[in-house]
């Protein structure tokens, strides 16, 4: 039996609540988020879940990051430091604001930003740092917060892959940065197809994000567009489904963690001779996917795929800076990131639809490949 995927019902958590939510919106006849209640209710529930003062909805996780940078005033001539291992949605908003992306290297163990590399990349033009909680594991937000505070920079947490993840001190990821951004895209822990949420405690940043999300229109004094903005509004259908999904996220993460603990124990039983291990920082991990460290990710991926276990060598084909959209820089700027992508990082799909038998089967497949 193939493993459940997020592109089929077995790998998603939809039920009667989502169906009722869709019908509720259709029956209301109000599908635009500017005029309905669902998007505003979702924002209130998201802010409450994370204990932050404000939440702003948007049309995607990429849009959520764009709201954050626009509200912070990032623009032409500014620089934003971030990681070369992430979805392109992390850097697209920086480029859209006319700013320059500056890539800092990552920690070899988990692929998240190295705070020392971030500090070394800061110049007088630096305006912000975007820290990605890669695969559901925590970036070192405590140290990154210190770096940003020391240099007067905005810290944005990209939590698209890290719903309800925690750092080493047990703090929710998304509660340390000035703004934190989340995604509701199909592959994330919870989904409404697409959609984004940004949370903050700063009322001015919240106001700026809300204006940018709705074409600079505050809708308080007639049709006055106070700032530059785009139409990044979330629809009522998306918001209604997202509200039902938000109520499920704690259980989704709980099950993923439970299965991951079983898998980690099985990998440890294989022993170091197997040539595969999990990242050492696992406390608080949200397990969007299952990252593994191996000796040759191409060999491992081919071996696992041959026995029906989807496996992706390197997560990305190349670091973000090597893409044509970023002028296709040659190798060299971030050697640890390049090593992870090119040789040592192997990513397995992971979701709450996996049974204990599924987990055991994946572990056995790992053992088989490692013995070859």
């Amino acid at each position: 039996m193939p493993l459940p995927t997020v592109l089929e019902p077995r790998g998603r958590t939809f039920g009667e609540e989502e169906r009722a939510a869709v019908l509720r919106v259709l029956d209301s006849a109000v599908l635009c988020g500017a005029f309905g209640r669902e998007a505003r209710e979702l924002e209130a529930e998201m802010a409450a879940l994370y204990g932050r003062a404000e939440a702003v909805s948007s049309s995607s996780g990429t849009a959520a990051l764009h709201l954050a940078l626009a509200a912070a005033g990032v623009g032409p001539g500014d620089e934003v430091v971030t990681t070369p291992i992430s979805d392109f949605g992390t850097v697209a908003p920086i480029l859209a604001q006319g700013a320059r992306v500056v890539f800092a290297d990552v920690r070899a163990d988990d692929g998240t930003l190295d705070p020392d590399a971030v500090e070394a990349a800061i110049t007088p033009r630096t305006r912000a740092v975007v820290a990605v909680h890669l695969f559901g594991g925590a970036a070192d937000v405590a140290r990154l917060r210190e770096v940003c505070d020391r240099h007067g920079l905005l810290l944005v947490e990209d939590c698209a892959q890290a719903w309800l993840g925690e750092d080493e001190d047990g703090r929710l990821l998304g509660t340390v940065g000035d703004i934190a951004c989340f995604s509701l895209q199909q592959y994330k822990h919870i989904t409404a197809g697409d959609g984004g949420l940004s949370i903050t405690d700063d009322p001015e940043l919240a106001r700026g994000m809300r204006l940018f999300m709705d074409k600079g229109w505050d809708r308080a004094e007639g049709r006055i567009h106070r700032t530059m903005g785009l139409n990044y509004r979330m629809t009522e259908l998306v918001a209604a489904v997202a509200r039902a999904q938000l109520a499920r996220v704690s259980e989704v993460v709980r099950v993923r963690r439970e299965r991951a603990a079983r898998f980690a124990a099985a990998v440890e039983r294989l022993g170091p001779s197997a040539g595969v291990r999990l990242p050492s920082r696992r406390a608080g991990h949200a397990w969007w996917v299952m990252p593994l460290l191996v000796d040759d990710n191409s060999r491992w991926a081919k071996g696992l795929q041959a026995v029906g276990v989807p496996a992706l060598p390197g997560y990305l084909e190349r670091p973000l800076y090597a893409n044509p959209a970023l002028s296709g820089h040659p190798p060299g700027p971030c050697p640890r990131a390049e090593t992870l992508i090119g040789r040592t990082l192997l990513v397995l799909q992971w979701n709450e639809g996996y049974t204990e038998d599924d987990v055991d089967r994946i572990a056995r497949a790992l053992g088989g490949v490692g013995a070859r």
Side-chain angles (χ1 to χ4, degrees):
M1 173 69 99
L3 294 166
T5 79
V6 296
L7 298 178
E8 60 175 312
R10 289 192 306 140
R12 293 279 51 160
T13 51
F14 296 133
E16 291 304 317
E17 293 83 358
E18 286 79 5
R19 292 183 181 89
V22 170
L23 292 176
R24 182 172 71 240
V25 173
L26 292 176
D27 290 343
S28 78
V30 179
L31 276 66
C32 176
F35 307 111
R37 298 177 51 192
E38 300 290 343
R40 302 294 82 79
E41 291 291 333
L42 172 64
E43 291 168 348
E45 290 159 6
M46 180 67 175
L49 178 65
Y50 276 85
R52 303 210 74 170
E54 301 267 6
V56 180
S57 60
S58 56
S59 55
S60 70
T62 303
L65 286 163
H66 200 176
L67 301 189
L69 296 177
V74 172
D78 292 334
E79 295 177 350
V80 178
V81 181
T82 193
T83 171
I85 305 182
S86 186
D87 180 82
F88 192 76
T90 298
V91 299
I94 303 170
L95 301 173
Q97 286 300 101
R100 177 171 175 261
V101 185
V102 176
F103 291 101
D105 211 349
V106 300
R107 302 186 296 198
D109 185 64
D110 63 7
T112 62
L113 274 174
D114 176 359
D116 292 332
V118 169
E119 188 150 32
I122 292 170
T123 75
R125 292 180 178 272
T126 306
R127 190 68 176 269
V129 173
V130 178
V132 176
H133 298 302
L134 190 65
F135 308 141
D140 192 345
V141 283
R143 286 195 58 207
L144 289 171
R145 178 77 275 172
E146 291 172 2
V147 169
C148 287
D149 288 346
R150 191 160 53 248
H151 293 274
L153 306 176
L154 186 86
L155 176 60
V156 177
E157 293 181 71
D158 183 342
C159 301
Q161 302 177 359
W163 283 89
L164 294 185
E166 299 168 350
D167 69 7
E168 291 183 325
D169 297 321
R171 293 176 298 188
L172 279 174
L173 303 182
T175 61
V176 177
D178 298 282
I179 303 173
C181 301
F182 296 77
S183 173
L184 292 159
Q185 186 259 356
Q186 180 73 33
Y187 273 78
K188 300 307 186 289
H189 290 78
I190 56 174
T191 185
D194 256 314
L197 288 157
S198 305
I199 56 176
T200 185
D201 291 325
D202 187 318
E204 286 304 309
L205 288 175
R207 181 173 185 273
M209 289 192 291
R210 204 170 293 283
L211 284 170
F212 194 76
M213 173 265 287
D214 197 13
K215 298 179 286 188
W217 185 1
D218 66 9
R219 298 181 182 267
E221 300 179 47
R223 193 157 190 162
I224 301 173
H225 299 270
R226 300 195 176 279
T227 64
M228 166 59 190
L230 298 172
N231 181 356
Y232 277 150
R233 294 190 301 261
M234 178 182 285
T235 70
E236 288 288 275
L237 284 169
V238 167
V241 172
R243 289 181 66 195
Q245 286 278 284
L246 194 66
R248 300 182 188 276
V249 69
S250 295
E251 179 65 9
V252 165
V253 174
R254 185 195 69 78
V255 175
R256 286 179 179 235
R257 284 174 170 162
E258 184 180 89
R259 300 290 186 265
R262 184 181 183 92
F263 183 71
V267 172
E268 288 172 2
R269 285 195 295 272
L270 294 176
S273 61
V276 58
R277 65 180 178 88
L278 275 70
S280 58
R281 296 171 183 258
R282 299 202 289 271
H285 208 294
W287 303 111
W288 176 60
V289 293
M290 178 59 65
L292 299 171
L293 296 169
V294 296
D295 50 5
D296 180 351
N297 55 16
S298 292
R299 178 181 75 84
W300 280 88
K302 290 176 183 176
L304 290 171
Q305 290 163 3
V307 294
V309 177
L312 189 63
Y315 175 54
L316 304 175
E317 293 180 5
R318 65 196 73 186
L320 286 176
Y321 53 73
N323 281 277
L326 287 128
S327 302
H329 292 285
C334 299
R336 290 192 293 274
E338 292 172 15
T339 297
L340 281 163
I341 293 169
R343 191 175 75 246
T344 60
L345 174 63
L346 183 73
V347 170
L348 309 183
Q349 296 302 310
W350 203 253
N351 71 57
E352 63 280 8
Y354 286 8
T355 65
E356 291 184 351
D357 287 344
D358 291 330
V359 172
D360 295 343
R361 180 156 59 92
I362 296 169
R364 287 195 299 272
L366 275 178
V369 175
R372 292 176 191 171

